[in-house]
Amino acid sequence: MKSVTGYGLLVECFWFALFCGSATHLLADSVYHKWEKLYLVHHWPVTVCMMNENECNNPPMYWTIHGLWPDKAAECNRSWHFNISELKDFMEDMREYWPDILHTNHTHFWKHEWEKHGTCAAQLETLNSQKKYFQKTLELYRKIDLNSFLSKVGIKPGSTYYQLTAIKEALESFYNIMPKIQCIPPEEGRLQVIGQIKFCFTKEFTLRNCTEEQSGLFSALEDDFFRTEDLSVCNDTLTYYPSHMKTHKHFAANVVVI
Ligand SMILES: *[C@@H]1O[C@H](CO)[C@@H](O)[C@H](O)[C@H]1NC(C)=O
Ligand SMILES: *[C@@H]1O[C@H](CO)[C@@H](O)[C@H](O)[C@H]1NC(C)=O
Ligand SMILES: *[C@@H]1O[C@H](CO)[C@@H](O)[C@H](O)[C@H]1NC(C)=O
Ligand SMILES: *[C@@H]1O[C@H](CO)[C@@H](O)[C@H](O)[C@H]1NC(C)=O
Ligand SMILES: *[C@@H]1O[C@H](CO)[C@@H](O)[C@H](O)[C@H]1NC(C)=O
């Protein structure tokens, strides 16, 4: 008797697991492909080089595009392959503002960005082709014009250090929103190094605050192309904004107040 019950239970469990398994799978799929806001991610090429030692020379001395990322989704359509011909009308801008800092051939980077992030962003009609996605990103980058803003207010790379709060206040007073600023955490006796600035947009492409995502399963989206997954939100302390790749020997030397 006991063994029969045991068997029945086992069969039920089997069907239950099968059902639950596929249900969770479907659920995961749809949840993973849902997103709310877009990050326009700028990175500082010198810092990217510092994080990928010996892999680059002559990084651009301006903030370049890392990507345009939906906040909670990745790889939404694996059969939508990258096609570089779609970028041919604005290839010059791609090379200048969205370069692969580590490699001379940028194709692999752009392919990665499309497949991981673009295929999810493409849920919007305004971004539903590769041409639209890359072009819109360039347009948003120009609109933000971060490089001009930073140099206008005197935040320049070099051997000076900035209080992060000063950078934050300057950005917030100009853009009226708070971008997300990420740094390499300080090595022993050194300062944090600024690495990425993420501006958040609504699905209608208006700037919004990058309020912190709730922690949990879907919150840890970071791109792994340049090992920037080692970056974390900067703390309100002194911050190094490097103009060259050599690790900074000094610290807390020249603090610039802006
Ligand atoms: C995925 O992309 C392919 C190729 O563009 C397209 O035909 C298909 O409809 C897309 N699938 C979804 C679910 O969007
Ligand atoms: C790639 O894009 C070009 C230009 O839009 C188009 O003519 C071509 O058919 C596309 N190739 C593939 C494989 O989809
Ligand atoms: C760059 O890499 C892509 C993908 O590997 C390849 O198809 C292409 O020919 C390369 N371009 C150049 C200029 O080497
Ligand atoms: C963004 O957050 C700041 C406070 O950090 C607030 O003053 C501002 O009104 C917010 N802006 C928008 C557009 O929500
Ligand atoms: C900021 O401080 C937190 C908590 O001490 C730490 O985990 C994080 O790594 C720090 N981030 C940076 C960029 O230093």
Side-chain angles (χ1 to χ4, degrees):
M1 210 45 186
K2 249 182 197 153
S3 70
V4 171
T5 316
Y7 176 74
L9 214 60
L10 200 71
V11 170
E12 247 170 79
C13 280
F14 174 75
W15 287 112
F16 181 73
L18 207 67
F19 168 75
C20 276
S22 56
T24 344
H25 179 69
L26 285 174
L27 184 69
D29 254 13
S30 60
V31 169
Y32 268 119
H33 296 172
K34 274 220 177 79
W35 55 271
E36 279 151 28
K37 59 178 181 283
L38 289 159
Y39 287 107
L40 175 66
V41 185
H42 296 70
H43 55 191
W44 180 243
V46 177
T47 303
V48 175
C49 290
M50 287 168 76
M51 298 178 83
N52 296 271
E53 275 174 72
N54 308 323
E55 283 182 61
C56 49
N57 47 53
N58 288 326
M61 289 302 282
Y62 50 91
W63 290 81
T64 59
I65 302 169
H66 188 166
L68 183 67
W69 305 345
D71 58 345
K72 295 179 203 163
E75 291 183 354
C76 295
N77 186 345
R78 284 166 208 260
S79 55
W80 199 343
H81 300 297
F82 180 66
N83 177 358
I84 197 157
S85 308
E86 296 226 4
L87 318 186
K88 65 177 186 304
D89 294 343
F90 46 97
M91 194 48 85
E92 288 301 305
D93 286 350
M94 288 298 295
R95 288 206 191 95
E96 185 164 359
Y97 304 121
W98 203 335
D100 180 335
I101 294 153
L102 305 181
H103 312 99
T104 50
N105 185 337
H106 309 289
T107 306
H108 182 62
F109 173 42
W110 297 334
K111 178 178 187 289
H112 168 87
E113 291 300 311
W114 168 253
E115 288 171 356
K116 182 160 180 189
H117 309 287
T119 55
C120 299
Q123 287 163 15
L124 298 183
E125 203 192 316
T126 42
L127 299 173
N128 68 0
S129 75
Q130 298 180 46
K131 185 172 183 179
K132 286 186 194 173
Y133 172 73
F134 286 99
Q135 233 170 6
K136 188 71 182 181
T137 307
L138 289 166
E139 182 194 316
L140 295 173
Y141 171 83
R142 273 195 215 95
K143 191 168 129 193
I144 294 288
D145 204 6
L146 178 63
N147 293 293
S148 303
F149 166 72
L150 290 175
S151 70
K152 201 159 60 194
V153 295
I155 302 176
K156 298 192 172 87
S159 53
T160 50
Y161 304 107
Y162 295 90
Q163 282 291 355
L164 187 79
T165 46
I167 297 178
K168 281 193 341 199
E169 278 161 21
L171 287 166
E172 187 168 7
S173 70
F174 185 72
Y175 292 103
N176 293 315
I177 48 87
M178 182 53 80
K180 188 170 170 180
I181 312 175
Q182 293 175 301
C183 286
I184 309 178
E187 285 170 39
E188 212 177 315
R190 299 209 170 112
L191 300 176
Q192 62 181 356
V193 183
I194 194 165
Q196 284 194 149
I197 300 182
K198 296 177 172 176
F199 286 88
C200 290
F201 285 90
T202 64
K203 291 181 174 180
E204 291 77 37
F205 305 111
T206 54
L207 274 170
R208 51 158 288 173
N209 279 321
C210 297
T211 36
E212 284 312 304
E213 314 86 290
Q214 60 279 46
S215 57
L217 196 54
F218 309 113
S219 69
L221 183 68
E222 189 54 67
D223 207 6
D224 50 8
F225 195 82
F226 294 118
R227 297 185 200 153
T228 45
E229 70 270 24
D230 296 339
L231 294 171
S232 60
V233 174
C234 305
N235 290 310
D236 288 339
T237 60
L238 280 183
T239 306
Y240 184 44
Y241 180 15
S243 57
H244 55 83
M245 280 151 57
K246 292 247 165 57
T247 350
H248 42 303
K249 291 191 211 79
H250 316 287
F251 53 97
N254 313 304
V255 179
V256 171
V257 180
I258 51 168

